[in-house]
Amino acid sequence: MALVGQRFLLAIGGNDGKRPLIDVWALDTAAKPYEWRKVEPEGDGPPPCMYATASARSDGLLLLCGGRDASSAPLASAYGLAKHRDGRWEWAIAPGVSPSPRYQHAAVFVNARLHVSGGALGGGRMVEDASSVAVLDTAAGVWCDRKSVITSPRTGRYSVDAAGGEASLELTRRCRHAAAAMGDLVFIYGGLREGVLLDDLLVAEDSAAPETFSSYPGTIPGRSGYMDGQARSPPSGDISDGAVVMGIPVVPFVNGHASIDISTENAFFQRQRSLARGEETLVEASAAEAEAISKTLAKAREGNADAEPSPDQDRGADSVHSGDEMFNPGKSPGAVIPNDPLLTGVRLHHRAVVVAAETGGALGGLVRQLSIDQFENEGRRVSYGTPESAVAARKLLDRQMSINSIPKKVLAYLLKPRGWKPPVRRQFILDCSEIAELCESAERIFAREPSVLQIKAPVKIFGDLHGQFGDLMRLFDEYGAPSTAGDISYIDYLFLGDYVDRGQHSLETIALLLALKVEHPYNVHLIRGNHEAADINALFGFRIECIERLGEKEGIWVWQRINQLFNWLPLAALIEKKIICMHGGIGRSINHVEQIENLQRPITMETGSVVLMDLLWSDPTENDSVEGLRPNARGPGLVTFGPDRVMEFCKNNDLQLIIRAHECVMDGFERFAQGHLITLFSATNYCGTANNAGAILVLGRDLVVVPKLIHPLPPAIASAEASPEGHMEDTWMQELNVQRPPTPTRGRPQASNDRGSLAWI
């Protein structure tokens, strides 16, 4: 029996006095009158058994492991049971096999790791040796041995001498005991050992359990170890109600290492941020990009006779909305009075989650905590270590994918958060006809969707990816993946555009996102970026990649077909009618959400008018002190908009927050307009020179926004002879970005004589 999703009490299996059973009964604790209902799950479930143990993960996934079948043989398998949003329950077998079969054991989750302890084998025998403790890591889909559990010796009846070996093995050799978890602590009490009734209490701490499913990003796991009768208080959160807070970056564990609090209050580790060696390259904006933008804008402006304010004129004081009706700006950017009733609802968490790993030693996989206010002025950077070379097992409970289905084939080959590697000689997994089928399936879904999506929380939000597929896999690995083994049943995914260009793996990136859209049409959402346009991605890498990897004839056809699909992409998303998400910004022309809703698709840049250009191309001004409309260095006719425009737009549409992408920012996210606009960028080390972090935003049901970060990985130390395909990819990317330098990272100064400046253009 287990409580699933804090709502459904499930009873599974057992025996009726004659034979073992495997029926499932559910009690909905949120529905009155209370009554048990029989559940008929789909999928291949476990065999009839009794004395099995069930435990529920914090996000609602139930694991049934072990047990004794009809022939009285102990079982070693494990099965997961999950409830889909449409009400269906489904069984799926867990990967791998437990180190030992067992029954009358105990199992309990610590974050994403299922701790299985003790158990009987029949005939008076119990599970012994190292198998007495087994851990199923549901984030990696593998069973772990007990090396990640540190045991402490005890004296007395079950001491080392009495046990004739290691005391910790004797401690966990028991059955019919009770187990419970609190935070990262596991408590084991009582049980039977060789007919002796036990009354001792064991306490263990698991330091290797990543907080993939934690609702409280500030919680920091402690160290790990079995202790006898010792306990400690779990860490308490310090989230203040009503405050716009951005979090202390927290790094999930890497390779099972312990995590350490390195907040400013307890600074355990500090490192100087590595200087960006490509700073000179970053301040060069491509003249070709400006020319392409100018041509596109000229086409878009044709037929638009409406008078528009000049971007060179600052907005007067009369046009600046004070924000008193909706917002209290506070005393500094991003500051909000905690108990201000006007700001109940959407809140930015005061702690962000950051992934960082040392290149070696015992400090690998640190949990880093930094106040959100430190990001703007922080001068330190935690570098990343080399990722594991071994391919980890697939995520737990991924559906068995049929290669006959193109989306399932894509997911089977590409959705490997820990195991994906760049293809040898840059070969792509799909041929021309398969890409066409994938586009047709996705396009039918996009055609049914409105131009402005309506999304419910919780949701994960991703910024620019730009073909950096490895970063997408790292984000999935650290913060949950959109699969049955991950969290797709419990949280939506929203991507803000710019899936292609610049990076080496635009085809993998767009193919995976389209496959996810087809497989999860109501949970995965894609909107359009400025690089989802043929005139742009013909210049910045996507067209070249298609030709290089698929051949000239088929490559050009695929590039054209995918760009046809891009014309159907939705243009913005509203979350809980309080947050609007878009790629670029509101520019000079967008004052109401209805203007975006009225854009009819399919739509090209040429036919989209200035509204589409502003939506996909405009940027905020340099900082909160620069108001009104100003020229945009991206190209003639484009504008930047000040914080007054943000406040005015939010007031006009009864919104509390704008989330946009489009600009590379050093910490992966950046606040603007006193925290009422956030810029989000998910690709790390943009174009190989920026050395920026990547981030996603996780919006909970309570409308608290939590930033979660990853830092750039250091370059791999390998020669061209040792890694010809890696050398080929690096050379391809370098040549492209030298020819067409990236737009400067937001916040970096520009000299007037630089090629990236508006004066030079």
Side-chain angles (χ1 to χ4, degrees):
M1 182 176 291
L3 184 64
V4 175
Q6 300 299 313
R7 176 174 176 178
F8 296 97
L9 187 63
L10 295 186
I12 305 173
N15 73 84
D16 59 1
K18 298 179 180 179
R19 62 188 183 279
L21 306 173
I22 197 55
D23 51 348
V24 181
W25 294 81
L27 175 67
D28 188 349
T29 61
K32 294 182 180 180
Y34 299 127
E35 60 178 336
W36 288 95
R37 295 179 180 271
K38 190 172 183 179
V39 176
E40 301 291 347
E42 301 177 358
D44 296 328
C49 61
M50 56 185 179
Y51 301 135
T53 301
S55 182
R57 204 167 61 183
S58 60
D59 62 350
L61 177 68
L62 181 140
L63 261 294
L64 183 76
C65 63
R68 193 176 75 182
D69 63 12
S71 62
S72 297
L75 303 175
S77 57
Y79 291 80
L81 181 62
K83 185 177 187 295
H84 297 282
R85 291 191 177 187
D86 58 8
R88 295 180 298 110
W89 292 84
E90 182 179 11
W91 283 111
I93 189 168
V97 180
S98 170
S100 172
R102 68 189 77 209
Y103 62 89
Q104 294 180 344
H105 52 289
V108 65
F109 266 108
V110 178
N111 295 318
R113 289 160 57 93
L114 181 71
H115 286 248
V116 181
S117 58
L121 296 172
R125 296 178 297 116
M126 286 184 291
V127 181
E128 298 181 347
D129 301 328
S131 300
S132 61
V133 174
V135 179
L136 174 59
D137 188 341
T138 64
V142 294
W143 287 89
C144 306
D145 59 24
R146 57 185 298 279
K147 292 181 180 179
S148 61
V149 180
I150 304 171
T151 60
S152 61
R154 61 175 279 179
T155 58
R157 178 176 179 181
Y158 301 115
S159 64
V160 175
D161 296 334
E166 190 177 347
S168 61
L169 301 182
E170 184 69 16
L171 282 173
T172 53
R173 191 172 67 89
R174 62 184 68 205
C175 65
R176 299 189 183 184
H177 52 286
M182 176 66 70
D184 58 352
L185 297 177
V186 178
F187 296 85
I188 296 177
Y189 175 74
L192 287 173
R193 182 188 297 118
E194 298 175 351
V196 178
L197 187 64
L198 307 175
D199 64 350
D200 54 350
L201 174 66
L202 307 181
V203 184
E205 291 185 77
D206 183 3
S207 69
E211 293 192 315
T212 309
F213 307 100
S214 176
S215 302
Y216 306 99
T219 303
I220 307 172
R223 296 190 56 195
S224 127
Y226 268 111
M227 298 169 289
D228 189 24
Q230 301 295 326
R232 64 168 176 82
S233 300
S236 60
D238 54 355
I239 300 174
S240 58
D241 293 336
V244 173
V245 279
M246 235 188 209
I248 288 183
V250 176
V251 186
F253 309 94
V254 177
N255 300 334
H257 292 305
S259 61
I260 304 172
D261 178 2
I262 53 171
S263 62
T264 54
E265 295 81 10
N266 184 23
F268 181 86
F269 174 78
Q270 299 180 357
R271 166 167 292 189
Q272 294 297 321
R273 183 190 297 269
S274 57
L275 298 177
R277 291 176 293 178
E279 189 164 338
E280 295 181 359
T281 304
L282 285 173
V283 298
E284 296 181 354
S286 171
E289 180 177 3
E291 182 180 355
I293 297 168
S294 300
K295 290 180 180 179
T296 306
L297 180 63
K299 294 178 183 178
R301 291 174 65 89
E302 292 177 1
N304 287 278
D306 297 338
E308 297 171 350
S310 170
D312 299 296
Q313 295 177 351
D314 194 6
R315 296 171 57 90
D318 294 339
S319 65
V320 180
H321 173 59
S322 65
D324 291 341
E325 292 88 345
M326 282 189 61
F327 307 104
N328 187 332
K331 298 181 180 180
S332 62
V336 175
I337 299 176
N339 295 322
D340 187 352
L342 297 178
L343 285 166
T344 56
V346 180
R347 296 186 291 122
L348 193 60
H349 200 274
H350 68 295
R351 295 173 179 266
V353 181
V354 181
V355 176
E358 277 296 283
T359 56
L363 297 180
L366 293 175
V367 169
R368 191 177 192 212
Q369 292 200 338
L370 297 173
S371 169
I372 198 113
D373 294 319
Q374 292 180 274
F375 277 86
E376 294 175 349
N377 300 310
E378 186 197 19
R380 299 180 298 275
R381 170 67 57 88
V382 178
S383 62
Y384 233 93
T386 304
E388 297 179 68
S389 58
V391 178
R394 288 296 309 275
K395 291 274 188 173
L396 174 65
L397 300 181
D398 268 339
R399 289 186 180 183
Q400 297 297 322
M401 296 180 179
S402 171
I403 301 301
N404 296 327
S405 167
I406 300 304
K408 286 182 170 58
K409 175 181 177 179
V410 173
L411 297 181
Y413 280 95
L414 295 182
L415 189 54
K416 298 180 178 180
R418 294 191 183 182
W420 181 82
K421 291 183 178 180
V424 177
R425 304 190 182 280
R426 292 182 56 76
Q427 295 176 342
F428 191 52
I429 62 169
L430 301 180
D431 59 28
C432 187
S433 61
E434 291 174 320
I435 295 174
E437 180 180 334
L438 180 62
C439 288
E440 290 291 338
S441 301
E443 191 174 284
R444 285 194 294 269
I445 298 174
F446 292 135
R448 296 194 299 265
E449 294 182 326
S451 294
V452 179
L453 301 171
Q454 301 288 334
I455 301 176
K456 297 289 187 181
V459 59
K460 293 181 189 176
I461 307 170
F462 293 71
D464 289 24
L465 294 170
H466 279 298
Q468 296 187 203
F469 191 74
D471 285 336
L472 180 61
M473 291 298 99
R474 288 176 61 202
L475 289 166
F476 284 169
D477 182 31
E478 300 294 351
Y479 302 122
S483 65
T484 307
D487 52 16
I488 191 63
S489 299
Y490 312 101
I491 190 169
D492 283 8
Y493 283 69
L494 172 61
F495 299 87
L496 301 186
D498 276 12
Y499 313 116
V500 300
D501 283 345
R502 297 294 191 186
Q504 307 100 314
H505 300 105
S506 293
L507 282 171
E508 280 86 356
T509 302
I510 189 60
L512 177 61
L513 295 181
L514 293 179
L516 288 170
K517 181 64 180 178
V518 173
E519 287 295 293
H520 309 284
Y522 303 109
N523 308 116
V524 175
H525 313 281
L526 278 65
I527 66 175
R528 189 174 186 176
N530 63 301
H531 281 259
E532 277 70 65
D535 289 347
I536 302 302
N537 59 50
L539 300 175
F540 296 100
F542 184 46
R543 185 176 184 272
I544 297 174
E545 180 179 340
C546 291
I547 294 173
E548 176 203 4
R549 303 182 67 181
L550 300 171
E552 183 171 1
K553 182 178 179 180
E554 290 193 350
I556 292 176
W557 189 93
V558 165
W559 171 74
Q560 292 174 337
R561 180 63 187 91
I562 294 178
N563 273 289
Q564 291 176 9
L565 174 139
F566 286 160
N567 293 333
W568 283 100
L569 286 175
L571 303 173
L574 275 175
I575 305 177
E576 300 287 354
K577 300 186 183 299
K578 294 184 179 182
I579 302 172
I580 188 167
C581 300
M582 59 187 66
H583 180 73
I586 56 178
R588 84 191 86 183
S589 63
I590 303 176
N591 298 304
H592 299 279
V593 177
E594 289 77 11
Q595 293 175 262
I596 308 173
E597 293 174 336
N598 292 336
L599 293 174
Q600 299 299 313
R601 298 168 296 132
I603 188 172
T604 63
M605 291 291 185
E606 294 81 2
T607 61
S609 77
V610 177
V611 172
L612 184 63
M613 292 298 295
D614 279 343
L615 186 67
L616 301 185
W617 283 96
S618 63
D619 300 300
T621 54
E622 289 83 358
N623 52 63
D624 283 4
S625 66
V626 183
E627 297 185 333
L629 296 171
R630 302 296 173 92
N632 194 324
R634 290 182 184 270
L638 299 179
V639 301
T640 60
F641 53 92
D644 51 325
R645 282 282 292 139
V646 173
M647 295 293 194
E648 183 181 27
F649 179 82
C650 288
K651 179 189 176 184
N652 291 341
N653 297 276
D654 194 23
L655 297 172
Q656 297 186 25
L657 180 63
I658 298 174
I659 299 176
R660 46 92 63 173
H662 193 43
E663 284 187 287
C664 178
V665 288
M666 288 305 296
D667 289 309
F669 70 97
E670 182 179 286
R671 292 170 293 170
F672 181 76
Q674 283 113 21
H676 298 300
L677 181 146
I678 299 177
T679 296
L680 181 65
F681 202 83
S682 298
T684 67
N685 196 24
Y686 182 46
C687 291
T689 55
N691 200 33
N692 63 287
I696 63 173
L697 298 178
V698 179
L699 177 71
R701 288 187 177 88
D702 54 1
L703 300 185
V704 173
V705 182
V706 180
K708 298 192 174 185
L709 283 69
I710 58 173
H711 283 295
L713 291 171
I717 303 176
S719 63
E721 293 77 11
S723 181
E725 57 271 9
H727 176 71
M728 185 188 307
E729 289 185 359
D730 293 341
T731 304
W732 181 84
M733 182 178 180
Q734 290 170 4
E735 291 177 353
L736 172 70
N737 292 322
V738 166
Q739 295 171 5
R740 307 192 185 281
T743 303
T745 303
R746 181 172 175 81
R748 287 259 172 91
Q750 279 184 281
S752 59
N753 60 348
D754 280 340
R755 288 177 53 196
S757 68
L758 184 66
W760 189 91
I761 295 173

